[in-house]
Amino acid sequence: MTITRSPHRLRRVTAGLAAAAIGALTLAACGDSDPLDNSGGDSDTIVIGSQEYYSNEIIAEAYSQALEAAGFEVEEEFKIGQREAYLPDIESGAIDLFPEYTGPLLIALDQDATAKLSDDVYAALGEALPDGLRALEQSEATDQDSYVVTRDYADQWGLATIEDLTKVTDPIVFGANSEAESRPNGPKGLKSTYGVEVSFTPIDDGGGPLTVKALKDGDIQMAIIYTGDPSIQKNDLVPLEDTKGLFLASHVVPIASDDVDDEAAAIIDEISAAMSPEDLVALNARSVDEQLSAEVIAKEWLEDEGLL
Amino acid sequence: MTWLEANRSYVLDMLLQHVQIAVPAVLISIVAAVALGRLAWRWRRVGAVVLGATSLLYSVPALPLLIVIPVVLSIPLRSDLNLIIALALYGTALLAGTALDAFRSVDPRVREAAEALGHSRAGIWWKVDLPLSFPVLLSGIRVITVSTVSLVTIGALVGIQSLGNLLTDGFQRGIHAEIVTGIVLTILVAVVLDVLLVLVGALVTPWRRRTPRARSRRRADDTAAVSA
Amino acid sequence: MSLFGDALAWILDGGHWGGPTGIDTRLWQHLAVTFAAVALAAAVAIPLGVLIGHTGRGRLVVVATAGAVRAVPTLGLLTLLGLWLGIGLTAPLLALVVLAFPSLLAGAYAGVESADRGAVDAARSLGMSEWQLVLRVELPLGAAVVIGGLRAATLQVVATATLAAYLSDTGLGRYLFAGLKSRDYPQMLAGALLVAALALLLDVALAFVQRACRGPAPLAPSDAAPEAAPAKG
């Protein structure tokens, strides 16, 4: 019955599956054509990267637009994850220019780094960077980890510095990314540097909205949030002053490969010099409040500063 | 809405990127799972072991897998290929069992009849086994397609771009329109691909349309497939 | 692969066992979260699936919904739930329940549907009530398929329960996140291996139950519906 008829009908299935197989291989091959795979690449083009972090992307945009305006050929590789994802590409030179932060990058490159102060960290970073990479001038703008508490909590216990936490008699729950637990600025560092005892709970959103909510809910009493984060102002959070240098200084610093020549480096240095800490917070706020794209925010800032 | 309008080209880029990762991953899964399912069907003992091991791949959490694959294959961590391979492994893990079920669902009498008509073994595979097992296979393909599309989003955590970036960026900046866009578009891609699969299924197995008997049989194929 | 060797060494290091952050504690936490999520999801999904399978009503709607649920990105869902419910275990648990739901539901209705219609009709003609039909005929006959759904859901939840560590100090996911963020890959991989080992144990145990359920006379030709396959998170 059907059997005699089926071969020619069934052939369609066969054809379909064969097409699928060929398609799979072709598409997989396409997926491989990531321009970054051939590390180094065309040396005329400056490949600029940015973290998956809106603030970092704005700075990278500023680099990109300024270089392009000066006649350089640039290629943007933005929003490429967190440090663990992109660091290999910087180390290999697949990315030529990347806005980084002195302290966190130093720790990522050298777990045992002891430098704390701005200039020491910058110097140590210069040495920790692999051959072929250099740190351009660091900016005055900082975006660094800070311990924050809510205004109510600060008022209740009279807190202004981290040291003041010793006055708190209730248990303190501290929330931050998981890696903070083992970092020098985590619970152990707090104990040894300031004599403050806290318990730790991980909130892996990098001081984002979940962390802020946990603070406001009272689930945690203290968190690590970046000083550049507009949510500190918006939620009336209080960053505690780090009088004994528990946190490494964390200035915005462009990391450049050899493909970035002196002329290009000079342009980037100008941007770093023009960017104040207040500027950075303001740029971040525009991203969050006005929901503008990094491209627009960077362009308008460059124009305001007369850099474009 | 305004966020979406202002970022239309970016969203479109991410959408395309998402599809570009999901589709090859699904296609590779299909090819690999059919091969494994066939192997398991032919050699029962070996097959059971291979399928068991394959299905356990599914329990490996995604983030470590995305770190290990580049080390083992020496490809860049932050490449589409890395994510495609990871997703293909998950897809194969899910689909291989269904593929075996699919081959088992073919009535052996049909196969014998084809043999009696003088078809070669390869001929029977291409012209009888594969087409007749296709309905069960398709139901499994639909499942892995949807789950693969959803899983592409985790690439954002290791810098592989997709609609997942709208989620991470939206959360960081507290832009709800961006988060909703990411989730809705992910579901939309899944639904569109699913509908396409149903259409393809109807196209390549025309004998399953029209008659009421075909309809009830279709339903049976959808629910019941054997798994070892 | 030295990376795997390092990960194994990490697991075997006695210093990583015992205490509130030890491997044994994390394993139990992981198991508890998995069990709670699957149990909660099953409490809703299985009765609903049985109802659909028995009456044959609402099947299309539910299958379509379950399919759409599969497409929801888990990390996105988790973050949304976290913003709503705050940190702690509630949000991850709820996200895991949502993940487990489609597989359990599909297993339940496919199981009941797969019960031999002849046997069901015969039981009905013997004067069994609808309740008796479900409990004494359809569920026992379809048990292997229902367990198949449970097995799939468990595999998926045990792998995804790592996300609990995103918002709370719970489970094997702690090793994953801590290892990933500090580029301590042996620790990360050790976490992954432990998750896989736990999954293997649970899967073998459930396969055993499933085989026992299939009983002497396998009326149903199947023990898992393809829709019962897990959705990865």
Side-chain angles (χ1 to χ4, degrees), chain C residues 11-33:
Chain C
I11 294 174
L12 295 175
D13 183 342
H16 294 138
W17 292 78
T21 61
I23 293 173
D24 40 349
T25 313
R26 297 283 183 221
L27 272 171
W28 282 117
Q29 288 171 344
H30 204 93
L31 205 56
V33 170

Side-chain angles (χ1 to χ4, degrees), chain B residues 75-146:
Chain B
I75 56 171
L77 166 68
R78 210 172 46 67
S79 62
D80 291 356
L81 188 63
N82 183 14
L83 186 54
I84 290 173
I85 291 172
L87 295 177
L89 284 177
Y90 288 137
T92 308
L94 277 189
L95 192 57
T98 310
L100 173 61
D101 301 341
F103 297 133
R104 282 198 192 143
S105 74
V106 177
D107 190 339
R109 282 170 298 184
V110 180
R111 200 175 284 121
E112 282 158 22
E115 216 167 316
L117 286 172
H119 284 288
S120 68
R121 188 174 267 183
I124 293 172
W125 154 245
W126 285 108
K127 291 174 186 163
V128 178
D129 284 337
L130 199 54
L132 288 185
S133 60
F134 191 73
V136 176
L137 198 57
L138 182 68
S139 62
I141 294 172
R142 291 177 59 189
V143 169
I144 65 151
T145 302
V146 174

Side-chain angles (χ1 to χ4, degrees), chain A:
Chain A
M1 19 158 266
T2 41
I3 301 155
T4 43
R5 249 175 28 203
S6 42
H8 98 147
R9 275 191 176 172
L10 302 184
R11 202 167 297 142
R12 287 206 233 175
V13 180
T14 311
L17 280 175
I22 293 163
L25 297 171
T26 326
L27 275 161
C30 289
D32 194 18
S33 64
D34 186 334
L36 282 178
D37 288 0
N38 35 8
S39 50
D42 187 355
S43 61
D44 289 344
T45 307
I46 297 177
V47 182
I48 306 173
S50 96
Q51 295 181 343
E52 170 77 58
Y53 171 37
Y54 59 91
S55 173
N56 193 267
E57 194 190 342
I58 295 170
I59 304 171
E61 265 290 352
Y63 294 170
S64 170
Q65 291 179 22
L67 287 176
E68 206 165 17
F72 287 94
E73 211 165 295
V74 297
E75 191 180 305
E76 296 177 353
E77 283 286 333
F78 289 177
K79 300 190 191 216
I80 52 179
Q82 306 301 320
R83 196 166 284 112
E84 65 272 5
Y86 64 72
L87 201 50
D89 282 332
I90 296 189
E91 285 171 336
S92 75
I95 296 174
D96 299 316
L97 186 61
F98 206 108
E100 260 289 359
Y101 307 91
T102 50
L105 180 60
L106 175 62
I107 288 292
L109 293 171
D110 176 11
Q111 298 255 338
D112 309 318
T114 51
K116 297 277 185 209
L117 300 173
S118 166
D119 289 343
D120 300 344
V121 172
Y122 180 70
L125 178 62
E127 280 171 28
L129 282 171
D131 288 343
L133 288 179
R134 66 193 194 281
L136 304 184
E137 288 301 320
Q138 63 174 339
S139 168
E140 191 200 335
T142 64
D143 199 356
Q144 75 178 72
D145 288 353
S146 66
Y147 287 133
V148 300
V149 297
T150 59
R151 173 73 61 198
D152 285 350
Y153 196 73
D155 290 348
Q156 184 189 346
W157 298 98
L159 308 176
T161 68
I162 299 177
E163 199 160 15
D164 291 339
L165 286 169
T166 49
K167 294 189 282 188
V168 178
T169 49
D170 288 354
I172 302 171
V173 182
F174 160 55
N177 275 356
S178 3
E179 72 269 23
E181 193 179 16
S182 54
R183 289 273 163 82
N185 56 22
K188 280 177 213 140
L190 264 175
K191 177 97 176 78
S192 61
T193 313
Y194 286 103
V196 176
E197 292 245 26
V198 297
S199 64
F200 179 79
T201 191
I203 309 174
D204 260 297
D205 72 337
L210 290 168
T211 308
V212 172
K213 179 174 166 59
L215 271 175
K216 291 169 94 176
D217 288 353
D219 289 331
I220 58 175
Q221 281 70 49
M222 186 176 80
I224 290 185
I225 294 182
Y226 297 125
T227 51
D229 192 331
S231 75
I232 292 183
Q233 251 178 346
K234 205 189 291 178
N235 297 287
D236 198 17
L237 303 175
V238 182
L240 299 176
E241 200 189 328
D242 180 17
T243 48
K244 293 182 183 172
L246 188 59
F247 288 103
L248 281 69
S250 177
H251 288 270
V252 173
V253 65
I255 302 300
S257 78
D258 291 339
D259 283 356
V260 178
D261 62 20
D262 290 347
E263 192 194 340
I267 294 171
I268 301 302
D269 284 344
E270 258 187 278
I271 293 177
S272 296
M275 192 177 284
S276 70
E278 295 75 25
D279 279 353
L280 187 58
V281 178
L283 294 176
N284 292 348
R286 295 199 73 187
S287 174
V288 173
D289 297 337
E290 298 171 46
Q291 307 189 349
L292 296 170
S293 69
E295 193 180 343
V296 173
I297 299 172
K299 185 165 187 289
E300 293 183 8
W301 179 78
L302 285 171
E303 283 167 353
D304 288 349
E305 297 289 326
L307 294 168
L308 206 63

Side-chain angles (χ1 to χ4, degrees), chain C residues 49-114:
Chain C
V50 167
L51 189 73
I52 294 164
H54 181 71
T55 62
R57 277 189 211 139
R59 187 179 184 274
L60 271 182
V61 176
V62 172
V63 171
T65 316
V69 167
R70 256 183 231 289
V72 175
T74 306
L75 195 58
L77 179 67
L78 175 65
T79 314
L80 278 182
L81 288 172
L83 286 176
W84 176 39
L85 298 166
I87 60 162
L89 263 182
T90 323
L93 204 55
L94 215 57
L96 292 174
V97 167
V98 170
L99 267 181
F101 201 83
S103 303
L104 287 164
L105 183 76
Y109 75 64
V112 169
E113 266 181 1
S114 73

